[in-house]
Amino acid sequence: MADIPSEDLKQTPLYERHVTAGGRLVPFGGYALPVQYPTGIMAEHKWTREHAGLFDVSHMGPGFLMLANPSGDAEADHAAIAGIIEPLICGDIAGLKPGQIRYTLLLNAEGGIIDDLMVARSPLVAGGLYIVVNAGTKDNDFALIEKAAGDKARLIRADDDYALLALQGPEAVNVMAALIPEAIALGFMNYGAFEWGRDKVFVARSGYTGEDGFEILVNRHEAVALWDELLSDPRVKPIGLGARDSLRLEAGLPLYGHDLDETVSPIEADLGFAVSKRRREAADFPGAGRILAEREGQPARKRVALLVEGAPAREGAEILNAAGQAIGVVTSGGFAPSLGRAIALGFVPPQLTAPGTKLQVSVRGRAQPAEVSASPFVPHRYFRKSA
Amino acid sequence: MTTKFTPDHEYIRVDGETGIVGITTYAQEQLGDIVFVELPAIGKVLRKGDEAAVVESVKAASEIYAPVSGEVVEVNSLLTSEPGMLNSAPEGEGWIFKLKIADSAEIDSLLDADGYADLTL
């Protein structure tokens, strides 16, 4: 049984709310955060899939990268700021429209993934980008971005002065309609700034559960008021990290530090879509040689989704072929509440990645049947506007 | 009948030579929603402290240890189809296995209800 965390953990602006709600606090990315509330992971997971779940994701790393000396010409300033961040990542930032968000990857020179992140073009400020990186990697990520910026741009970290809330699920849009009606006009992977309370909030139509929903960056002094107002809607319940993980796993979304690390390339990770066409053609991103060669040929391994029979196969479990030989490893796995069975993500040789391929996983020394599945396990329900 | 406890949150309800083993209410609360139970084989001979069963929640797997030495004489196969029974009735219908106790002296070394309650305060 886990001990109560004794190390020095940071608290988010919503810490007291989690304690009052009976959240079971655990250390995560250096913060004390609720793994679950009293109703439990199963109920929280299902509530999010059917109604709307509210998550405190303030441990993540939001920030703004602003051109130091903007010219005032919006397109020229955007091109300039894109030119600062693009050498670190494989996404097309220059091509973003105001308010548009791109999922992209910070890469090392060998084409390994330093982090996965969101980069968005500010709808307000010429030469401004809104960036959200992962909690466990944020200090290193921000240091890399600051180094690339030099004196040409300024990075403003927002992780200490703001809270980040995620409202996810099929009823999230109706909840948002009552709170900030203008925000429901946003399409998937777009954001805007809206008046709420005494300040502006930044609302993105995004998330990591596979559901429609919003991520809201709010000044830390307004965070509790926003949390309370969202929870006053009977369609909304607070959801802990446990269900956040089972939701993203069912959505087939990789988790940095587990499914992705500095040895894994975007092609191996089945994130080829994150290598934007313009960048591919220019071959002007870190590790382009390896990544483009893997894209044309075969990577050594590839991330797959697995339906597992019997006990859950957790991170570190070996993946075996039908003959029982070890061919790969599970990088995240667990029980899928929406499917009522065990599922996993892991890496196997590329010739064994076709959906329906029969494999096995080794759990506590015993081989259990597993089958390669199409990904996502549970269909995404993002709100995509036709262009 | 007397019930004894381990510091690892197993209980054993002793009825003559047989002990019924499960996890405490406190343990199931800590584990959260239980989704899978791996039961021991009938006839398996366990020494005190041996891994006897595995209980999986959404998040993690937890080993269940034999509170005392003995032979597994019965398992609760209901848990295979209804693992949630471990959450709803851990000290009743959600028992895990029955043991033919090898050495009744080992029972005396376990915690009584008051001793266990002190541990989980």
Side-chain angles (χ1 to χ4, degrees):
Chain A
M1 224 110 326
D3 290 320
I4 291 155
S6 58
E7 57 203 280
D8 251 350
L9 292 172
K10 285 197 195 174
Q11 295 177 357
T12 74
L14 298 160
Y15 177 81
E16 297 295 339
R17 284 295 183 270
H18 302 319
V19 172
T20 308
R24 185 181 304 157
L25 299 177
V26 298
F28 190 81
Y31 290 77
L33 284 165
V35 65
Q36 64 165 81
Y37 297 92
T39 48
I41 295 174
M42 206 84 107
E44 291 172 23
H45 178 114
K46 289 179 178 168
W47 185 268
T48 306
R49 288 264 184 262
E50 288 163 16
H51 305 283
L54 182 62
F55 305 74
D56 178 12
V57 291
S58 305
H59 56 301
M60 296 192 69
F64 296 94
L65 187 65
M66 316 295 285
L67 205 58
N69 299 300
S71 69
D73 174 338
E75 292 308 314
D77 288 342
H78 178 66
I81 199 78
I84 290 169
I85 193 128
E86 279 193 355
L88 302 176
I89 62 179
C90 53
D92 179 359
I93 301 306
L96 292 179
K97 298 183 187 78
Q100 196 184 354
I101 307 168
R102 179 142 284 154
Y103 172 82
T104 187
L105 304 166
L106 265 173
L107 298 170
N108 62 30
E110 291 73 46
I113 300 169
I114 297 170
D115 201 8
D116 62 337
L117 69 160
M118 301 287 188
V119 177
R121 176 174 174 178
S122 171
L124 303 175
V125 183
L129 298 175
Y130 173 40
I131 298 170
V132 183
V133 302
N134 279 301
T137 45
K138 62 185 178 182
D139 291 338
N140 182 48
D141 291 359
F142 284 143
L144 291 171
I145 293 168
E146 275 189 316
K147 192 171 165 219
D151 55 6
K152 295 197 206 75
R154 195 160 52 98
L155 177 73
I156 304 157
R157 283 182 70 148
D159 49 342
D160 288 339
D161 296 333
Y162 287 82
L164 191 59
L165 311 187
L167 179 70
Q168 301 279 296
E171 292 192 318
V173 64
N174 301 323
V175 174
M176 185 58 78
L179 187 81
I180 305 171
E182 307 79 40
I184 69 167
L186 293 166
F188 181 58
M189 294 299 268
N190 277 272
Y191 89 105
F194 302 91
E195 298 296 328
W196 186 85
R198 283 167 294 178
D199 210 342
K200 262 203 276 292
V201 293
F202 298 90
V203 180
R205 194 92 182 238
S206 58
Y208 221 58
T209 59
E211 297 295 329
D212 181 23
F214 301 87
E215 290 174 299
I216 311 163
L217 186 73
V218 57
N219 188 298
R220 65 175 295 129
H221 303 295
E222 300 277 335
V224 169
L226 178 59
W227 179 265
D228 288 349
E229 183 157 339
L230 284 164
L231 285 177
S232 72
D233 190 311
R235 293 169 290 198
V236 182
K237 286 192 193 245
I239 310 296
L241 293 169
R244 182 170 160 82
D245 192 49
S246 55
L247 288 158
R248 72 92 198 162
L249 187 61
E250 284 184 348
L253 300 170
L255 182 62
Y256 197 83
H258 302 266
D259 308 302
L260 310 176
D261 65 33
E262 293 212 18
T263 72
V264 175
S265 79
I267 305 302
E268 290 178 330
D270 200 21
L271 298 174
F273 71 90
V275 186
S276 299
K277 184 163 181 276
R278 193 194 102 236
R279 305 299 307 281
R280 213 162 64 215
E281 287 169 0
D284 63 350
F285 50 90
R290 170 189 175 187
I291 291 166
L292 295 175
E294 286 180 352
R295 193 173 174 275
E296 293 311 312
Q298 288 280 29
R301 55 184 172 169
K302 198 146 194 190
R303 183 170 64 92
V304 286
L306 296 173
L307 291 165
V308 174
E309 264 179 52
R314 314 268 179 191
E315 182 174 4
E318 274 189 335
I319 303 173
L320 316 173
N321 62 15
Q325 291 156 317
I327 48 143
V329 66
V330 169
T331 47
S332 53
F335 187 80
S338 300
L339 304 175
R341 61 172 306 155
I343 57 173
L345 301 177
F347 285 81
V348 300
Q351 62 272 21
L352 295 173
T353 56
T357 303
K358 305 273 189 224
L359 300 173
Q360 306 181 82
V361 288
S362 177
V363 178
R364 294 183 283 277
R366 273 193 298 274
Q368 294 175 195
E371 188 179 310
V372 177
S373 163
S375 182
F377 298 99
V378 172
H380 294 163
R381 296 197 283 182
Y382 304 135
F383 177 69
R384 293 183 198 274
K385 290 171 114 176
S386 40
Chain B
M1 274 218 295
T2 166
T3 305
K4 295 281 203 160
F5 301 87
T6 74
D8 294 320
H9 312 287
E10 292 97 8
Y11 68 82
I12 180 163
R13 199 155 64 235
V14 183
D15 183 9
E17 287 192 328
T18 307
I20 301 175
V21 180
I23 60 169
T24 64
T25 300
Y26 175 85
Q28 71 78 22
E29 279 169 6
Q30 295 299 305
L31 291 167
D33 297 312
I34 291 160
V35 297
F36 187 88
V37 182
E38 192 172 296
L39 297 165
I42 292 172
K44 187 168 185 183
V45 175
L46 298 167
R47 278 170 310 169
K48 177 182 161 82
D50 280 356
E51 185 183 312
V54 179
V55 168
E56 302 243 16
S57 69
V58 180
K59 281 295 291 173
S62 304
E63 290 83 24
I64 306 302
Y65 303 106
V68 296
S69 306
E71 182 187 336
V72 176
V73 290
E74 197 179 336
V75 297
N76 186 1
S77 31
L78 186 64
L79 295 177
T80 307
S81 55
E82 300 209 35
M85 197 72 83
L86 268 170
N87 291 116
S88 57
E91 299 181 35
E93 283 181 89
W95 59 275
I96 301 174
F97 61 94
K98 293 185 185 175
L99 208 56
K100 185 166 180 270
I101 298 165
D103 176 6
S104 58
E106 283 182 353
I107 297 288
D108 299 332
S109 65
L110 299 175
L111 298 163
D112 62 13
D114 286 346
Y116 180 68
D118 287 346
L119 204 70
T120 53
L121 278 180

